[in-house]
Amino acid sequence: MSESELGRKWDRCLADAVVKIGTGFGLGIVFSLTFFKRRMWPLAFGSGMGLGMAYSNCQHDFQAPYLLHGKYVKEQEQ
Amino acid sequence: MVARVWSLMRFLIKGSVAGGAVYLVYDQELLGPSDKSQAALQKAGEVVPPAMYQFSQYVCQQTGLQIPQFFLPISFSQLPAPPKIYFPIRDSWNAGIMTVMSALSVAPSKAREYSKEGWEYVKARTK
């Protein structure tokens, strides 16, 4: 794995961690306010879940160096 | 009867708010693969600053708060674009590591040079 590819993977991991922890925290806030009487544990639970998902994604990304991250391009009919 | 209907309504409102939040997360694929999360973060970085700027302009218009003209060298239409949120962590981390390592590598020679200069200075002062 080249250094630039490694750097891209780290960037992707950090961005993924920020998004997932924030999403988990946000969902925790919503559920805490709506169903759980403003307790703190949904926030911790959501943040922890987001962190765990991000860690799992990063681990998979680093341990599978030969998988290419591409995107689908629809074929245009002539 | 009314209390029961009201508690049912409250439950439905809370359920729809929570369900909407869950659907939004599912629709934007925020808890999906890392590619989608990175794209979502980039999109948020492009959308949020102009939205905040427009919201602040709307609040100023509604509340009548205005910055006095003599404090502004330019008019509102000529204000520069909001800054883009982009912090290259990889570049600044690498630059930081290289700076620290180069400082450590020149530290002994620099320390010898400064101590020699200090010794010369003390010798000159005591003469």
Side-chain angles (χ1 to χ4, degrees):
Chain A
M1 200 188 307
S2 65
E3 194 176 319
S4 62
E5 179 64 26
L6 189 66
R8 272 197 291 274
K9 281 182 193 268
W10 273 112
D11 288 345
R12 200 159 46 227
C13 273
L14 284 174
D16 191 34
V18 166
V19 169
K20 286 194 164 51
I21 291 172
T23 303
F25 188 75
L27 279 178
I29 288 177
V30 168
F31 278 93
S32 169
L33 290 174
T34 51
F35 294 117
F36 296 113
K37 296 173 188 172
R38 297 177 199 167
R39 300 268 170 84
M40 289 303 293
W41 69 263
L43 278 77
F45 184 72
S47 306
M49 274 195 67
L51 181 65
M53 281 193 273
Y55 184 84
S56 172
N57 276 356
C58 283
Q59 195 175 31
H60 179 75
D61 211 3
F62 280 109
Q63 286 180 353
Y66 303 110
L67 287 177
L68 296 174
H69 290 272
K71 51 185 176 181
Y72 286 106
V73 176
K74 286 184 185 174
E75 287 184 7
Q76 292 182 355
E77 294 177 9
Q78 295 182 352
Chain B
M1 179 69 185
V2 174
R4 207 181 295 174
V5 169
W6 173 238
S7 65
L8 179 66
M9 286 286 297
R10 221 168 52 178
F11 177 76
L12 286 175
I13 291 169
K14 287 181 185 178
S16 36
V17 167
V22 171
Y23 176 74
L24 181 72
V25 168
Y26 168 75
D27 188 48
Q28 297 293 320
E29 293 183 72
L30 295 176
L31 295 178
S34 53
D35 298 342
K36 301 277 176 11
S37 303
Q38 193 180 22
L41 189 65
Q42 207 166 356
K43 192 174 157 188
E46 287 167 9
V47 165
V48 165
M52 282 181 62
Y53 176 70
Q54 283 182 6
F55 178 71
S56 64
Q57 290 295 306
Y58 174 74
V59 166
C60 286
Q61 281 176 9
Q62 293 296 316
T63 57
L65 290 172
Q66 283 184 0
I67 300 172
Q69 286 297 320
F70 57 85
F71 283 134
L72 287 175
I74 48 176
S75 65
F76 280 134
S77 61
Q78 295 173 5
L79 280 173
K84 292 199 184 299
I85 299 171
Y86 174 66
F87 185 68
I89 298 171
R90 176 171 37 117
D91 294 342
S92 46
W93 177 261
N94 287 346
I97 292 287
M98 285 193 288
T99 307
V100 167
M101 287 300 150
S102 62
L104 284 175
S105 66
V106 301
S109 52
K110 284 285 181 186
R112 193 177 66 179
E113 189 185 316
Y114 292 149
S115 57
K116 189 178 168 187
E117 281 179 19
W119 177 246
E120 296 294 329
Y121 176 76
V122 168
K123 262 181 23 182
R125 294 285 288 185
T126 52
K127 274 185 184 172

